[in-house]
Every structure is written in C-alpha cells, then in structure tokens.
Amino acid sequence: MNRFARLATRVLRVPLGLVGLEPAGEAAGARPECWPPGTDPAPEVLECCRRVAESGRPQFLARAEAGAASFAFAGVPLVGGSGEVLGVLAVMDPAPRVWSEDEVQDLSDLAAACSAQMRMRKRSENGRQAREAAEDAALSAEGEALRAQRLLNRSELLLRASEDLADTSGLDDVRQRVGDLVSGDLKPVSIDLVLLRRGRLHHVRSPIDGERPGVPDSFDLGSSWPVAQSVRENRIVVVDAPSQDGAPSGPLASPAFATQDLATAVCLPLRGTHRILGALVLGWDAPYGIGVDERAVLTTLAGYTAQAVERALHLDERVTAARQLQRAMLTELPDAPGLELAALYRPAARDDMVGGDWYDAYPLPGIANGDLRGGLALTVGDITGHDMRAAALMGQVRSMLRQSDHDHPGKGPDQALTALEQACRRLDLPASGTAVHAHIRPAADGHWHLKWSNAGHPAPLLVTADGVVESLKQHDILLHPALPPRPRTCAGRSLAPGSTLLLYTDGLVEERDEDIEANIDRLAHLLATAPPGIRLPALLRSLLDTVGPREAQDDTVLFAIRIPTS
C-alpha cells in the first residue's frame, strides 16, 4: 500500500505520506506503511489519523499542533464495501499550509483507488477461503470429489482473477486477461466485451481481432440483442441455441456472435460503482450448463472485470485530459514568409504521457501587417519531469518567456532568458530544466541572421545547402531555482538560403545503454544525407523513427527551420 503513500506525496508535493490500516479497531495499526519507506511518523500525526478513522470523515488541517511546533495534515478514510473504515490515507507537511480544492480532490481520488485496492485484496482472501473450503469438502467425501475439484478450480480462477485484474492498465489489457483467465477453466470459444457509452454499446476489440466483417462497432442499448437486455435489466441473461428445425444455428447474444455456430452464451452485466458499465459475453460451441454454482462464479468474475474496466476508463479519461492539455499548450506555428517551419512532439510512454518538453515560435516586437521586420522568436525547452506537474510548469515558463521578449523589444534572447529566471525567482516558481531560445531576423540577399542563447540544452544542428553539418555548441548553465543568477551569453550566425536548423530535446538521442554522442552523430549524418527537397514534416518523422528510442522513456520535441532557396 505504500505506493499510494508515494503517489500522495508526489501529487500533493509533501515529504510524508502514509497508509494506516485498521486491525482490531486500532486507527493506524501497529506500523503504518509510509513513504519514504522506514519513516516513523510522529505521535501527533498518528493521532490525527486515529481521529479520521474514528469519525469516518476526511480532515484537511492547515495547522495542527505538535507541542511547540505545528504542521499541516490531510487524511481521508479508506472505506470497505459495506461502508466500514479500513484505514486512512494521509499526508503531512511540516509547515502549515492551506489545502487547495484540487489537492483535496486529488487525495480523495487516491483514497478511493486505495480503498478499491483494499477491497480487492479482501475479496482475494475470500477466494482463498473458498479454495480451502473446497479442499476440505474433497477430503470429507470421496463421492463429492469431482464437485469439490470443480469448486477448487473455480476458486482458483477467482483468486487469479482478483490478482490478475487488479493491475490492468487499459481496456485492451482487461479483455486480454479475461480471455486468458476463462480459457483454462470455463473454456468458452468466444469472448465479447461491450461498454455502454451515450446510450450505445461498443465492442472492445482485441488487438489481434483485426476487422470483423459484418460486426458493427456499436449498437443501440434499446436493441433486441440479449446483451443489450442484460445491460438494461442489470441481470445475467443465458441464451441457448434453438433445437427445432429451421431455427438459427446459434444464439445471437451480441453482434459479435451473430455469425458463429454457438450452442450457449451468457451475458454478464458489469456493475460499476455508480452505473452499469456494459457487459461481458461468453460463448460455447457445445451446450453448457449454468447452474447456481456456475452463476456465482460468473457473477464474481464479472465483478472483478467491472472493477478493472472502471479503473481502465478512469485512467483513459485522465490520459485523454492530459493529452488535450498538452496539445492546447503546444504552439500552432505561425505563417512566416521566407521561412519553412515544422515541429513534432512525442510524449513519454509512461506516467501521465505528457511532460515538460515544448517548442514555440512567435513574432518578435516590430511585426506589422504580416511583415517580419521584427523576425521570429524560436524556442525548444525541457522542464524536468514527465507528468502533469511538469506540463503545468512548462505552460507557465513558455508564457513568461514570451512576455520577456515583448517586454524587452530589441534585446537579445539571452536577456529574455535572464528576465525569465528573475521572474521565476520572484514568483518562487520551481522550474528547472534546459532551453534554447533564439531570435531569427531577415537580412539581405535572402539570408537570415540567427542569435541564440543556450541554457544547458543539447546543441542545435545547422545544415548548409551543400550538406555540411555544424553543431552550435555555445551554451550556458541550465535553468534551476537553486543556481545563482548570472549573465547569459548570446551567439550569432548568418543563415544562407538552403540552410536547415534543427532544435531538439534529449529524448531524441538519449537511450539506455546507448552512447548519446554516437546518436547525435547519427542524427547529423541523417540530416546531411537527407534527400534534397524533402518536406520538413517528413524529415522530422524520419529522424524520430530512425534515431529515437523504440520505447519512449522521455518526451521528445523536434523543431526545424529552413531558409528556402527561392
């Protein structure tokens, strides 16, 4: 359970989190599970946990007294299936603080997930007890051996289901694991998972299914399909194939089963916390008897599946919201006569699948009526982290850097970065990371003049029209609130027609057990040998696919600027 304590400390940005279980009425147990591990909470913190467990209500204290000192405390009870208090999820900040509405909601959401995990563990224990009961029955009467063995198999199935479905990460994963579980014991020949969304039932297709001709992606909840009836009425529906001549050869439990020659199918409603989520449908090609014991097993299996589906839907919604936030903060590149611009962003394949990498391009002061007299500001940066917090910090830094340029017209990119750092310090914004900030302005004969300031970021690569690649290595220290302020440097270069400038983040060239310099050399070679006239979006995609890691452990940004030859 200390992983929930770890998540709580990370989300609420506090040094201590704990999950206190409640055996025999003790508020936090003999020793709560803490993060960081091995931490021994103060008695005053445990007393606050005890009060939360006794009252059964959350407490968010901006200031709790601990002798002569004080601290901030937040705790939410962990609730069982019957409303009983199982324990407490709590965090402590040694300094008093006011808990925001978002922090209250975040801790409550984590407590709900922790409660669900604890209830699942409790059900796992029930499964173990059922298995032991089945084993005792098998020993007590030889005549009951076959039935006892079947009960044992079913109990093991439920035990595996409670464990295997407890850590699924998506709907495809849920469907795959349910299929693996039932294929060994119940042995259906077909499985269908359908979910209810806006009055329609949608098939969750396995990645290996491919296209299924004649099977619609969704169908109406009010239709005559038995699976729709099961969801509408919130009950198990068993469908047996008619035996009379001329009747259909198999049960049409759902559209996915319509073309299959099945003898029996069962539709199991998936009951979520507050609503029916959909149904799990199993089909057999031979008659399959579903008695009282079998119904109990199937109902329990459907319950575990519903919990896994509900969790997967929650995670999908969170990732979708995070991606929408990330897309909203990424720049729509401006139309810049005399320049070609293209950018590509790929999030890390972990955490919230968003992060602190960004690119930006915007007109500098002096632009009027589409005329680029002021030129453009160009930025690629990387705020530390791969989660929502990093994305939020990135959005603030991106906006502040834009403001810095417009507050210092005619100044260089180094002064904009300096102004950004000063603003972060004054506002106590804990932004750390790297960035390349550049100004590019039109010059004579189709040339453009580039000035840049590098705050510890990977060096941009400049490719001339004749394929010569140069690494613009001039750089200063990275951005960090703990580093003392110091003047930043600025370098300049003239860009001739046919030149291409590539800015990128380290996610493109960093990979475990790989030499980063060798990857940068590969990147430079690919730039130098790119086909003449290749469009920038295609070039960036080719670079990412060729040089980038196969499994993205870090966010990646590529941003290219080309000076056309005509």
Side-chain angles (χ1 to χ4, degrees):
M1 286 296 161
N2 68 349
R3 68 186 177 119
F4 288 98
R6 174 178 64 82
L7 287 172
T9 61
R10 184 172 165 190
V11 171
L12 275 72
R13 303 183 300 280
V14 295
L16 173 64
L18 62 88
V19 176
L21 306 182
E22 190 183 12
E26 294 294 329
R31 182 176 178 83
E33 296 186 34
C34 299
W35 191 267
T39 304
D40 192 10
E44 293 83 3
V45 176
L46 297 179
E47 175 61 20
C48 290
C49 292
R50 184 187 65 78
R51 289 199 295 267
V52 172
E54 286 183 350
S55 66
R57 295 182 178 181
Q59 287 192 10
F60 292 84
L61 306 178
R63 179 186 296 272
E65 300 300 327
S70 58
F71 61 93
F73 172 85
V76 180
L78 305 175
V79 182
S82 301
E84 75 278 14
V85 175
L86 303 176
V88 175
L89 174 63
V91 296
M92 187 276 286
D93 194 326
R97 64 186 280 184
V98 175
W99 304 101
S100 68
E101 291 184 5
D102 287 343
E103 289 171 334
V104 170
Q105 186 61 52
D106 287 341
L107 189 60
S108 300
D109 289 346
L110 285 173
C114 187
S115 298
Q117 185 72 28
M118 294 173 72
R119 291 195 295 270
M120 199 168 293
R121 284 188 176 184
K122 192 172 182 180
R123 290 191 180 99
S124 297
E125 182 60 27
N126 292 339
R128 292 186 180 90
Q129 293 174 1
R131 180 178 64 183
E132 293 172 0
E135 290 172 345
D136 292 342
L139 294 174
S140 64
E142 185 177 354
E144 293 290 323
L146 183 59
R147 181 176 180 274
Q149 184 62 44
R150 185 174 181 179
L151 289 175
L152 176 61
N153 291 340
R154 294 299 184 262
S155 298
E156 290 177 341
L157 167 65
L158 297 181
L159 177 60
R160 292 197 307 274
S162 67
E163 294 173 345
D164 289 356
L165 293 174
D167 61 349
T168 50
S169 57
L171 293 176
D172 289 341
D173 193 17
V174 173
R175 189 186 188 282
Q176 182 62 48
R177 295 205 192 189
V178 170
D180 293 342
L181 284 166
V182 300
S183 62
D185 294 86
L186 302 176
K187 297 182 175 60
V189 296
S190 295
I191 299 171
D192 192 22
L193 178 63
V194 294
L195 298 183
L196 178 60
R197 296 170 182 160
R198 298 184 181 90
R200 295 186 65 81
L201 292 169
H202 297 255
H203 295 283
V204 177
R205 300 192 177 189
S206 168
I208 63 175
D209 280 348
E211 293 295 327
R212 293 184 289 184
V215 179
D217 289 332
S218 66
F219 54 100
D220 193 79
L221 178 62
S223 65
S224 60
W225 294 104
V227 65
Q229 178 187 3
S230 174
V231 174
R232 288 196 305 268
E233 300 176 6
N234 188 18
R235 67 180 181 88
I236 295 178
V237 173
V238 179
V239 187
D240 292 313
S243 57
Q244 63 270 27
D245 293 340
S249 60
L252 306 182
S254 77
F257 288 6
T259 59
Q260 301 184 41
D261 187 15
L262 301 177
T264 303
V266 59
C267 308
L268 306 166
L270 301 177
R271 302 178 179 94
T273 305
H274 303 294
R275 63 184 180 90
I276 301 298
L277 305 173
L280 175 65
V281 190
L282 307 179
W284 292 266
D285 56 2
Y288 190 86
I290 301 178
V292 175
D293 291 342
E294 204 75 5
R295 280 178 176 261
V297 170
L298 292 171
T299 299
T300 305
L301 176 63
Y304 290 139
T305 304
Q307 291 177 0
V309 166
E310 194 166 40
R311 184 172 58 253
L313 290 173
H314 175 73
L315 292 174
D316 286 348
E317 289 171 359
R318 179 180 176 89
V319 169
T320 299
R323 286 176 170 173
Q324 289 174 344
L325 172 63
Q326 184 86 48
R327 284 195 296 269
M329 290 190 294
L330 292 176
T331 298
E332 182 176 349
L333 297 177
D335 184 14
L339 293 176
E340 294 178 17
L341 307 177
L344 181 62
Y345 171 81
R346 180 179 70 177
R350 57 192 177 101
D351 296 331
D352 287 328
M353 298 187 73
V354 296
D357 287 23
W358 90 97
Y359 63 87
D360 202 1
Y362 51 88
L364 288 166
I367 188 168
N369 300 323
D371 180 21
L372 285 172
R373 293 181 215 156
L376 287 181
L378 312 169
T379 311
V380 163
D382 181 1
I383 296 299
T384 305
H386 315 290
D387 52 19
M388 289 288 288
R389 178 177 178 273
L393 281 173
M394 176 271 287
Q396 292 175 277
V397 169
R398 169 182 172 273
S399 297
M400 291 165 66
L401 186 55
R402 283 185 163 212
Q403 187 67 40
S404 297
D405 267 325
H406 284 268
D407 283 348
H408 300 81
K411 303 297 183 181
D414 53 324
Q415 297 196 36
L417 281 176
T418 299
L420 167 66
E421 289 182 289
Q422 292 172 347
C424 287
R425 289 189 183 91
R426 290 169 184 161
L427 298 174
D428 197 22
L429 188 68
S432 64
T434 65
V436 172
H437 187 53
H439 293 172
I440 185 169
R441 302 176 188 272
D445 300 327
H447 288 61
W448 288 71
H449 187 68
L450 175 73
K451 295 177 67 176
W452 75 93
S453 184
N454 189 330
H457 199 77
L461 296 176
L462 176 62
V463 190
T464 62
D466 54 4
V468 176
V469 180
E470 179 185 358
S471 178
L472 307 182
K473 293 184 177 181
Q474 298 88 339
H475 69 87
D476 301 322
I477 60 173
L478 52 75
L479 305 168
H480 198 283
L483 295 175
R486 64 184 64 183
R488 293 198 169 272
T489 60
C490 185
R493 189 63 47 85
S494 177
L495 305 186
S499 300
T500 300
L501 178 68
L502 177 68
L503 310 176
Y504 59 93
T505 57
D506 56 9
L508 177 65
V509 292
E510 275 192 347
E511 188 172 9
R512 184 177 300 174
D513 301 326
E514 294 285 342
D515 183 1
I516 186 171
E517 294 299 329
N519 284 339
I520 293 176
D521 290 343
R522 289 176 59 210
L523 178 63
H525 176 72
L526 289 171
L527 279 171
T529 58
I534 184 173
R535 296 181 61 83
L536 287 185
L539 174 63
L540 296 185
R541 173 55 60 186
S542 174
L543 295 177
L544 180 62
D545 292 343
T546 306
V547 181
R550 288 180 296 276
E551 182 177 354
Q553 296 299 309
D554 196 0
D555 314 313
T556 303
V557 161
L558 295 89
F559 186 16
I561 304 93
R562 177 183 289 165
I563 315 298
T565 55
S566 59

